[in-house]
């Protein structure tokens, strides 16, 4: 009897094995799953490393309510004045690194993260007075007995001026508002496309961070202008979903804040025009100059809202305005 030969599979040539290929759809699906898993791992690792680094690098100020505030501070023995830095939306106190570097050696400095940011304890539903109480505690804890300069960027610029208005001139030297958020302008955008996009971007950044994708490629350009050593710290900070959730709540709360009406201390208003409707933005910022009888407006046409603090040349110019008595 002759041995029975097996029949080849359909589509298989005699003696040539079939090479089975994966469908395009399945290849894409596996690639997406792989990307998601790797980004989750990278995001988790970045958050863990970032928290450890922060705990090692920065101090914690205990609060009377039992919480803590993350603080980066220095006070030399011969300190002649103190500075408190107020951060912009979704930015940590590291945004002031270049500015601090250019301050004189006799400057005592305090940078802090607002509630819910970095290692600072969350404070749900915190109003302006609760924010001001934190600044009172920072002054007592780190800058007691020194004249204090208040310096704020973006939303932090408004908070610095609002605090100065609420406390009068008691122990305050002057205020520096850096491309500050104008509350009247913010209110005017409610319901408009720009307002909708701002809220959506903060929420998308929150989801992006939760998925770990923020580490690989952020949606916005929040950290791009900074130097590499600062950028790595910002990456770890912005990899936290709560950074963006807190920023969203702050943005919504800011729309209910009262505008600053009058300051009794000198004021420097710093404006960045690049990337804006220059005429409109400049006019809006010029209204802030009217808050004080002793005020100066410093316009920078060659830098952006973030670049004004992130780029070393402009940071040096800001540092010169911080020194008491400056008319730079």
């Amino acid at each position: 009897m002759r041995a029975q030969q097996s029949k080849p599979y359909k589509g298989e040539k005699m003696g040539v094995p079939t090479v089975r290929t994966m469908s395009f759809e399945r290849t894409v699906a596996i690639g997406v799953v792989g990307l998601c898993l790797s980004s989750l791992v990278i995001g988790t690792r970045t958050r863990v490393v970032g928290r450890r680094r922060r705990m090692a690098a920065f101090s914690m100020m205990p609060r009377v309510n039992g919480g803590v505030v993350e603080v980066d501070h220095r006070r030399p023995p011969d300190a002649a004045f103190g500075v408190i830095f107020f951060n912009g939306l979704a930015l940590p106190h590291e945004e002031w690194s270049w500015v601090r570097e250019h301050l004189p050696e006799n400057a005592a400095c305090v940078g802090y993260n607002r509630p819910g940011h970095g290692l600072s304890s969350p404070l749900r539903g915190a109003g302006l007075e609760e924010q001001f109480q934190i600044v009172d505690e920072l002054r007592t804890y780190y800058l007691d007995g020194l004249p204090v300069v208040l310096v704020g960027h973006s939303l932090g610029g408004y908070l610095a001026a609002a605090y100065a208005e609420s406390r009068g001139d008691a122990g305050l030297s002057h205020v520096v508002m850096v491309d500050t958020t104008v509350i009247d302008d913010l209110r005017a955008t409610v319901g408009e496309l720009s307002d909708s996009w701002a809220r959506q971007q903060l929420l998308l950044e929150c989801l992006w961070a939760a998925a770990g994708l923020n580490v690989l490629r952020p949606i916005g350009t929040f950290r791009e202008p900074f130097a590499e050593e600062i950028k790595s710290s910002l990456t770890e900070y912005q990899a936290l979903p709560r950074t963006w959730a807190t920023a969203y709540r702050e943005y919504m709360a800011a729309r209910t804040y009262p505008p600053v009406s009058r300051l009794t201390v000198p004021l420097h208003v710093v404006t960045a025009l690049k990337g804006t409707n220059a005429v409109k933005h400049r006019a809006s910022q010029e209204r802030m100059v009217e808050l004080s009888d002793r005020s100066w407006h410093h316009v920078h046409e060659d830098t952006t809202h973030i670049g004004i603090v992130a780029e070393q040349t402009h940071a040096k110019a800001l540092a010169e305005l911080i020194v008491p008595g400056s008319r730079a």
Side-chain angles (χ1 to χ4, degrees):
M1 296 178 59
R2 290 186 302 174
Q4 186 175 3
Q5 295 182 347
S6 59
K7 295 181 179 180
Y9 292 107
K10 185 179 181 181
E12 179 182 334
K13 294 181 179 180
M14 185 68 70
V16 180
T18 298
V19 178
R20 298 183 179 180
T21 59
M22 190 179 297
S23 68
F24 175 76
E25 292 79 4
R26 189 175 182 183
T27 302
V28 171
I30 291 175
V32 170
V33 170
L35 175 63
C36 291
L37 290 176
S38 62
S39 63
L40 283 171
V41 171
I42 292 172
T44 300
R45 182 181 181 279
T46 301
R47 289 190 283 270
V48 171
V49 171
R51 179 175 178 82
R52 289 176 180 170
R53 189 196 64 80
R54 283 190 173 277
M55 293 180 69
F58 305 122
S59 303
M60 299 295 146
M61 182 190 75
R63 297 208 59 212
V64 295
N65 66 0
V68 296
V69 175
E70 180 189 330
V71 179
D72 186 14
H73 66 93
R74 79 178 190 211
R75 180 165 179 165
D78 62 342
F81 65 98
V83 185
I84 296 181
F85 293 103
F86 296 74
N87 308 335
L89 196 70
L91 290 169
H93 51 70
E94 293 97 302
E95 75 162 304
W96 300 104
S97 295
W98 282 131
V99 178
R100 289 180 51 155
E101 185 172 307
H102 290 292
L103 287 174
E105 294 182 357
N106 65 348
C109 301
V110 174
Y112 76 103
N113 285 338
R114 293 191 291 273
H117 288 287
L119 301 177
S120 295
S121 302
L123 190 61
R124 303 287 182 179
L128 276 179
E129 187 54 38
E130 286 83 0
Q131 297 282 1
F132 296 163
Q133 287 175 7
I134 293 174
V135 182
D136 287 339
E137 294 171 29
L138 290 169
R139 292 178 64 182
T140 301
Y141 207 90
Y142 297 104
L143 303 175
D144 189 39
L146 295 176
V148 175
V149 184
L150 306 175
V151 186
H153 173 231
S154 192
L155 180 60
Y158 165 79
L159 292 173
Y163 175 84
E165 182 180 45
S166 70
R167 300 303 188 257
D169 57 2
L172 298 180
S173 170
H174 62 284
V175 177
V176 181
M177 301 172 71
V178 184
D179 217 37
T180 193
T181 299
V182 180
I183 296 300
D184 283 336
D185 292 348
L186 186 61
R187 287 179 174 177
T189 65
V190 174
E192 294 186 358
L193 184 60
S194 59
D195 172 62
S196 178
W197 167 239
R199 290 185 286 109
Q200 288 179 20
Q201 184 178 12
L202 292 172
L203 292 175
L204 284 172
E205 289 282 10
C206 185
L207 294 173
W208 216 241
L213 295 169
N214 181 280
V215 177
L216 303 174
R217 182 67 175 87
I219 294 175
T221 57
F222 292 89
R223 58 182 183 253
E224 288 307 310
F226 288 94
E228 288 301 321
E229 59 266 33
I230 303 173
K231 191 184 299 184
S232 61
S233 180
L234 291 177
T235 299
E236 295 165 354
Y237 169 81
Q238 293 180 343
L240 294 165
R242 86 165 187 167
T243 292
W244 302 102
T246 303
Y248 179 85
R249 288 192 292 268
E250 286 185 330
Y251 177 83
M252 298 300 290
R255 304 193 303 180
T256 68
Y257 289 161
V260 178
S261 58
R262 198 67 184 164
L263 299 180
T264 59
V265 295
L267 170 66
H268 289 283
V269 176
V270 182
T271 301
L273 294 182
K274 189 175 180 179
T276 68
N277 180 330
V279 174
K280 182 178 180 181
H281 186 57
R282 183 169 187 158
S284 174
Q285 293 283 297
E286 283 179 346
R287 297 204 306 272
M288 298 295 97
V289 180
E290 300 171 2
L291 295 177
S292 173
D293 292 332
R294 294 167 290 169
S295 59
W296 299 265
H297 193 193
H298 312 271
V299 180
H300 298 260
E301 298 181 355
D302 59 341
T303 191
T304 63
H305 179 68
I306 299 294
I308 195 69
V309 293
E311 296 165 358
Q312 191 164 183
T313 300
H314 297 290
K316 184 178 181 180
L318 289 180
E320 293 172 355
L321 299 179
I322 293 172
V323 178
S326 173
R327 298 292 184 269

